[in-house]
Amino acid sequence: MLPRNGLSNLPMIDGQIVTIERFLLEKQPEDAKGDLTAILYDLALAGKIISAQTRRAGLLDLLGLAGKVNVQGENQRKLDLLADDVIIRLNDHTGRIGALVTEEQKEWVRIPKEYKKGSYILVYDPLDGSSNIDTNISIGTIFGIYRVVDKNKRGRLEDCLQPGRNLVAAGYILYGTSTMLVYSAGKGVHSFTLEPSLGEFLLSQESMRFPEKPAYYSFNHASGRYWTKEMNQYIDWLRNSYKHTLSHRYIGSMVADFHRNLIHGGVFGYPAEEKKPNGKIRLLYEAAPLAFLAEQAGGYASDGNQSILDIVPTDIHQRVPVFVGNKNLVKKVEEMISTKRK
Ligand code: AHG
Ligand code: MN
Ligand code: MN
């Protein structure tokens, strides 16, 4: 062990500097070692690159629209495309990935024939909350990792259309006041903070759990008029049950809203709307990874009827109503809005 002299500025856990590489090597479940560990490390590198570009965006002409529209009909921003490109370039040639699904591309992404096929599927939202980019507000990258169904075949669409229950790992990189990587490989949720002068992610918190007492609820109130009566009654229930102890906070970057609620307790929701029966959030690369993390942190995620993790996607870009956070708050949504039992 290194002497502490001169190291007091570095975050240490029990006198140890725990880099993400060390944590992955020492703490990953045995069956997640090897390729999966390497993919997580590749994603950490992607996070460092995207973070560096995000922080310089105002200087490098990276703010604003790219002039393109993605498959969801949303304007793509320059940083959306840059982040997408970084993740593809870091993962297509490694022989670890069988196929990728990204918010920014209409079709699932095949691994070029010249590269070895891999046994994992990577699904991701390169930048979540990208409408916040131009105003210097937290954004993040969300990812999920599945095993391919048949290791002997090159990646296929059916490998990509798996329910969240099959995730072997998921996480996000949050570009906030600091850059953080939060992930789970099925044994708890762990967070790391990028130490900018070292360019290393260092362990911040092992085994994160939603605190029992929630502090926040995060819904876009402006859309309340498009929700069902039952949905609005749930919001009333939240306010009446927690009175002065539950505040409303809504960033408009689900990943950042989720992160705050994971640390302080709470619920994030993007309900169905009159003209958007499936809400806005994408199942495969937004809702399912965060649902996986939520369950690993003692929370829960639902579409109002069932666990997000049990929904089998039929389209890589399908949307789903989302409620995620403290278990009791999400179970209560189900109780109040579920159409199944009516
Ligand atoms: P993205 O930037 O990847 O398209 O996702 C934005 C999503 C989500 O992060 C956020 O919670 C939601 O859009 C905000 O939508 P509203 O502005 O309709 O509230
Ligand atoms: Mn998103
Ligand atoms: Mn996005």
Side-chain angles (χ1 to χ4, degrees):
M1 201 170 84
L2 286 165
R4 268 209 87 133
N5 291 348
L7 292 173
S8 51
N9 286 338
L10 286 176
M12 294 209 210
I13 307 256
D14 297 335
Q16 304 281 329
I17 301 166
V18 185
T19 63
I20 191 162
E21 187 181 18
R22 175 174 177 177
F23 189 88
L24 287 170
L25 288 171
E26 289 178 1
K27 298 286 174 82
Q28 281 288 102
E30 268 317 303
D31 64 343
K33 289 205 170 135
D35 275 3
L36 182 59
T37 302
I39 294 167
L40 289 166
Y41 200 61
D42 289 340
L43 288 166
L45 176 58
K48 288 182 208 174
I49 297 173
I50 298 166
S51 174
Q53 295 296 317
T54 306
R55 307 245 176 261
R56 287 191 206 107
L59 302 170
L60 295 181
D61 192 28
L62 284 171
L63 297 179
L65 303 176
K68 295 183 186 166
V69 171
N70 69 12
V71 66
Q72 347 275 340
E74 295 156 350
N75 285 319
Q76 290 178 313
R77 279 161 205 271
K78 292 177 196 165
L79 276 175
D80 281 323
L81 299 179
L82 182 141
D84 191 34
D85 202 36
V86 167
I87 295 173
I88 293 184
R89 280 169 197 260
L90 286 178
N91 287 285
D92 66 354
H93 62 280
T94 59
R96 301 191 260 268
I97 302 288
L100 302 101
V101 174
T102 155
E103 181 189 3
E104 302 307 336
Q105 314 233 5
K106 188 163 184 274
E107 307 293 340
W108 59 280
V109 182
R110 289 163 201 272
I111 298 300
K113 282 265 160 36
E114 66 257 38
Y115 301 132
K116 244 178 70 196
K117 65 176 187 306
S119 0
Y120 289 94
I121 302 295
L122 176 62
V123 299
Y124 64 97
D125 176 354
L127 274 186
D128 179 60
S130 57
S131 66
N132 280 327
I133 290 174
D134 296 354
T135 45
N136 211 351
I137 292 170
S138 301
I139 49 178
T141 300
I142 307 175
F143 61 87
I145 302 168
Y146 292 92
R147 281 200 180 83
V148 292
V149 179
D150 184 344
K151 267 191 169 183
N152 300 315
K153 299 207 168 100
R154 283 192 93 82
R156 295 162 302 160
L157 177 61
E158 67 180 89
D159 295 308
C160 303
L161 295 175
Q162 298 192 53
R165 240 351 121 205
N166 295 357
L167 279 163
V168 287
Y172 55 84
I173 303 140
L174 185 65
Y175 314 106
T177 40
S178 61
T179 295
M180 278 199 122
L181 186 147
V182 178
Y183 91 97
S184 174
K187 288 226 161 132
V189 178
H190 318 294
S191 72
F192 301 80
T193 305
L194 183 63
E195 172 26 272
S197 58
L198 302 177
E200 269 292 353
F201 280 104
L202 303 180
L203 181 63
S204 292
Q205 204 183 335
E206 200 173 338
S207 304
M208 301 171 82
R209 310 281 297 173
F210 284 95
E212 224 160 89
K213 224 172 118 224
Y216 300 111
Y217 75 101
S218 316
F219 288 71
N220 187 344
H221 267 299
S223 303
R225 77 193 81 162
Y226 308 119
W227 299 340
T228 59
K229 185 174 90 238
E230 290 78 8
M231 189 62 235
N232 279 295
Q233 282 167 349
Y234 171 72
I235 301 290
D236 290 343
W237 173 84
L238 275 178
R239 289 163 139 181
N240 293 330
S241 311
Y242 291 91
K243 295 238 158 56
H244 301 295
T245 61
L246 197 71
S247 280
H248 173 256
R249 296 259 172 104
Y250 188 77
I251 296 172
S253 301
M254 177 170 65
V255 64
D257 279 309
F258 176 89
H259 185 73
R260 185 201 52 243
N261 293 350
L262 172 60
I263 289 171
H264 293 298
V267 56
F268 167 91
Y270 206 111
E273 294 178 11
E274 210 175 283
K275 291 199 176 134
K276 294 195 266 178
N278 295 317
K280 178 178 184 189
I281 305 300
R282 276 59 56 115
L283 171 60
L284 200 53
Y285 42 80
E286 295 183 313
L290 296 187
F292 180 83
L293 291 170
E295 282 207 2
Q296 284 292 319
Y300 179 55
S302 170
D303 69 349
N305 282 308
Q306 59 178 326
S307 167
I308 294 277
L309 295 179
D310 289 330
I311 305 173
V312 183
T314 51
D315 181 301
I316 57 171
H317 295 296
Q318 89 189 55
R319 297 173 194 266
V320 68
V322 173
F323 306 94
V324 58
N326 281 51
K327 198 172 182 168
N328 62 326
L329 298 185
V330 180
K331 286 282 177 195
K332 187 70 183 177
V333 187
E334 283 185 344
E335 191 190 309
M336 291 183 72
I337 75 162
S338 175
T339 46
K340 267 193 173 166
R341 284 179 288 270
K342 288 179 185 162

